[in-house]
C-alpha cells in the first residue's frame, strides 16, 4: 500500500503501520485512515454528512493502491456487522493472497 505523505495529518512515519489523511477531492475533504496489519491492507474513507460515493472511493483506491492491485469492499454477514461510523466505507486487500475474481465478461 502507498501512503500519500502530502495528505498526512497524523502518523505516516517510516515504520508506522498506518496513518490519518485528509484528501481533497472536488471541493471537499475525504477523511481517510490507512493501516497495515494482521495480513491486511485497510483504508477507511468517511465524510461528515454522507457515505462516500463510487468516484470518491475510486479516487482513494488510486491514491493508496497500484493500478494493477485488486481491492474490495465487503458486506459481511449481519451477525458480524459493526458500525462505528455511519458515513464510512472500507477498502481491503489481503497481503498474502490474490482476491478471486469472476470472469471479465461478468464484471463490466
Amino acid at each position: 500500500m502507498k501512503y500519500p505523505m502530502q495528505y498526512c495529518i497524523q502518523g505516516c512515519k517510516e515504520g508506522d503501520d498506518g496513518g490519518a489523511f485528509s484528501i481533497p477531492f472536488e471541493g471537499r475533504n475525504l477523511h481517510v485512515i490507512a493501516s497495515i496489519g494482521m495480513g491486511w491492507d485497510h483504508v477507511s474513507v468517511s465524510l461528515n454528512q454522507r457515505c462516500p460515493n463510487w468516484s470518491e472511493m475510486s479516487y482513494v483506491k488510486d491514491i493508496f493502491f497500484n493500478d494493477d492491485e485488486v481491492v474490495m469492499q465487503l458486506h459481511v454477514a449481519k451477525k458480524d456487522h459493526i458500525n462505528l461510523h455511519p458515513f464510512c466505507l472500507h477498502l481491503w486487500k489481503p497481503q498474502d493472497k490474490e482476491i478471486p475474481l469472476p470472469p471479465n465478461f461478468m464484471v463490466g
Side-chain angles (χ1 to χ4, degrees):
M1 182 165 41
K2 308 179 290 187
Y3 287 161
M5 298 307 286
Q6 69 272 32
Y7 304 125
C8 181
I9 57 175
Q10 184 177 349
C12 319
K13 293 185 222 54
E14 186 70 32
D16 284 350
D17 64 356
F21 304 83
S22 182
I23 303 198
F25 181 75
E26 296 182 352
R28 61 197 160 277
N29 284 335
L30 305 173
H31 311 292
V32 176
I33 297 174
S35 63
I36 55 172
M38 297 177 58
W40 292 90
D41 293 340
H42 170 249
V43 176
S44 66
V45 184
S46 64
L47 291 162
N48 293 332
Q49 301 297 321
R50 63 170 175 80
C51 279
N53 62 35
W54 176 264
S55 62
E56 292 159 342
M57 293 300 287
S58 185
Y59 184 71
V60 170
K61 189 270 186 192
D62 290 345
I63 290 174
F64 283 86
F65 297 93
N66 295 322
D67 288 347
D68 63 343
E69 290 183 286
V70 175
V71 304
M72 60 186 164
Q73 289 183 251
L74 295 171
H75 290 255
V76 298
K78 193 168 280 271
K79 68 177 181 62
D80 296 323
H81 186 256
I82 300 169
N83 187 1
L84 299 177
H85 188 297
F87 305 123
C88 184
L89 296 175
H90 304 266
L91 298 173
W92 297 93
K93 180 182 177 293
Q95 294 170 341
D96 61 350
K97 57 184 83 168
E98 296 294 318
I99 297 170
L101 298 174
N104 286 347
F105 73 91
M106 296 177 77
V107 176

